[in-house]
């Protein structure tokens, strides 16, 4: 019998191509229509045996920068049970009876607290890696269910590609994205807190209507028409993110001036996203947005790409 000594899972970042936000619900969440799109910026989560007397779940966590540059901010990753990846390992251990405790190592390229769901991606990767390491063999539906319990954005990185999230974002329907889209991401020095951005949204937009999907965006994606995708990109949280971080307006303007097909705040920010015509155009936009005062770092990545995968 062979024993698994390490499992590594690669998982993508996401950008929201539409983020329509309804009024705050009684449980404190907001109903969303959230078009998730996975992009080729990857974290890797490696699970190994932890060699402790503890039983089940995670017993340790470490993180390193994958070399994506200063703005991946690996020093801000919590290395204890407050990390969503640690909680994912604990949840899976509880659901499947106690197993050998594990150590989780995160190799991060997805910016921390950047509105690209890096923490959620790591949690999704931890679920897949622990499922394989412990030989539990849970199917996709069970993993999606556990992911939704961990957070609104954890289910999507399991699936990847492009998908429409409803409910609080965790109910997913796959969507077609033809061709390759070229993106630029402008990363800021500090993060923005998701609950604070939603709170600012509630103050700025009391009595928001129920969120609705955008057929023009879905048609543009299915046709692979980047120009039409650019025209249809939208994020209801953008005014709230700009209110909390006014300097982002200059970053967006720098990308528009460089001919971006779309320029918008990614999710709850502060990362700004730009759609380019080609990989070369993306490089030019990246050079332009780097000159904006709030931009600490700019990276390019294409989409869409598959979800969490054992490597
Ligand atoms: O589900 P998750 O823990 O990722 O959500 C983080 C925070 O984002 C929530 O506590 C809530 O403040 C906000 N949120 C929301 N409505 C959603 C998703 C997240 O208000 N649909």
């Amino acid at each position: 019998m062979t024993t698994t000594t390490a499992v590594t899972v690669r998982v993508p970042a996401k950008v929201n191509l539409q983020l329509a936000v309804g009024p705050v619900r009684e449980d404190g969440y907001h109903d969303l229509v959230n078009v998730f799109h996975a992009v080729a910026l990857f974290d890797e989560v490696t699970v190994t045996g932890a060699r402790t007397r503890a039983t089940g779940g995670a017993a340790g966590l470490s993180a390193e920068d994958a070399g994506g540059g200063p703005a991946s901010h690996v020093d801000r990753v919590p290395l204890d049970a407050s990390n969503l990846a640690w909680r994912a390992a604990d949840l899976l251990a509880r659901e499947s009876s106690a197993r050998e405790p594990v150590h989780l190592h995160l190799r991060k390229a997805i910016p921390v607290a950047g509105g690209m769901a890096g923490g959620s991606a790591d949690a999704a990767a931890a679920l897949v890696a622990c499922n394989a390491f412990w030989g539990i063999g849970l199917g996709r539906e069970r993993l999606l269910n556990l992911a939704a319990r961990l957070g609104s954005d954890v289910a999507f990185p399991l699936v990847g590609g492009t998908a429409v999230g409803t409910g609080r974002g965790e109910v997913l329907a796959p969507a077609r994205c033809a061709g390759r889209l070229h993106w630029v991401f402008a990363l800021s020095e500090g993060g923005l807190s998701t609950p604070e951005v939603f709170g600012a949204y509630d103050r700025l937009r009391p009595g928001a209507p129920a969120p609705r999907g955008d057929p023009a965006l879905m048609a543009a994606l299915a046709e692979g028409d980047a120009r039409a995708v650019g025209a249809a990109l939208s994020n209801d949280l953008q005014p709230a993110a700009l209110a909390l971080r006014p300097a982002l307006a200059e970053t967006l303007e720098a990308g528009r001036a460089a001919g971006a097909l779309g320029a918008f705040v990614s999710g709850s920010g502060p990362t700004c996203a730009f759609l380019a015509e080609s990989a070369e155009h993306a490089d030019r936009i990246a050079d332009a947005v780097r000159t904006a005062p709030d931009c600490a770092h700019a990276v390019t990545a294409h989409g869409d790409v598959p979800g969490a995968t054992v490597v």
Side-chain angles (χ1 to χ4, degrees):
M1 197 180 103
T2 56
T3 316
T4 306
T5 54
V7 175
T8 297
V9 170
R10 197 170 90 131
V11 66
K14 62 89 184 158
V15 59
N16 306 95
L17 307 186
Q18 182 195 9
L19 187 47
V21 182
V24 64
R25 312 192 308 204
E26 278 190 359
D27 65 0
Y29 284 91
H30 297 71
D31 277 322
L32 307 176
V33 174
N34 193 347
V35 180
F36 294 103
H37 178 79
V39 297
L41 261 183
F42 298 100
D43 279 2
E44 278 180 8
V45 175
T46 299
V47 169
T48 49
R51 299 174 205 282
T52 87
R53 286 172 183 278
T55 50
L61 190 143
S62 53
E64 71 174 301
D65 197 318
S72 91
H73 288 314
V74 79
D75 51 315
R76 292 183 197 160
V77 174
L79 300 179
D80 56 19
S82 68
N83 190 298
L84 205 50
W86 184 306
R87 280 160 47 199
D90 282 354
L91 177 63
L92 185 55
R94 276 202 309 279
E95 293 289 313
S96 58
S97 81
R99 311 268 166 169
E100 178 193 0
V102 292
H103 181 90
L104 301 168
H105 182 70
L106 315 183
R107 191 159 186 275
K108 292 206 58 77
I110 307 175
V112 178
M116 298 189 76
S120 297
D122 296 346
L127 283 178
V128 173
C130 289
N131 191 37
F133 185 83
W134 287 325
I136 303 169
L138 285 193
R140 185 178 162 104
E141 284 308 313
R142 288 287 308 280
L143 289 178
L144 283 169
N145 184 279
L146 294 179
R149 285 165 57 185
L150 288 163
S152 312
D153 284 352
V154 182
F156 174 70
L158 289 175
V159 177
T162 302
V164 182
T166 51
R168 60 185 169 86
E170 83 288 14
V171 184
L172 294 174
R176 182 169 147 72
C177 173
R180 179 173 271 215
L181 295 173
H182 298 277
W183 299 97
V184 179
F185 301 100
L187 316 180
S188 288
E189 203 28 67
L192 273 177
S193 138
T194 302
E196 276 177 32
V197 175
F198 273 101
Y201 172 82
D202 293 334
R203 288 191 296 279
L204 286 170
R205 207 173 169 200
R212 298 171 61 143
D214 178 3
L217 174 64
M218 304 325 290
L221 287 167
E223 284 159 20
D225 182 344
R227 198 161 284 277
V229 171
L233 295 164
S234 68
N235 179 2
D236 282 354
L237 292 181
Q238 182 162 313
L242 286 172
L244 294 171
R245 184 78 66 91
L248 294 179
E250 277 179 76
T251 309
L252 294 176
E253 192 43 46
R256 286 190 199 105
L261 304 177
F264 61 110
V265 173
S266 174
S268 57
T271 297
C272 292
F274 306 88
L275 181 59
E277 287 171 19
S278 63
E280 296 71 34
H281 187 209
D283 287 337
R284 289 203 302 281
I285 294 173
D287 286 342
V289 299
R290 276 186 198 108
T291 64
D294 199 64
C295 176
H297 191 61
V299 293
T300 60
H302 69 269
D304 55 16
V305 294
T309 312
V310 176
V311 294

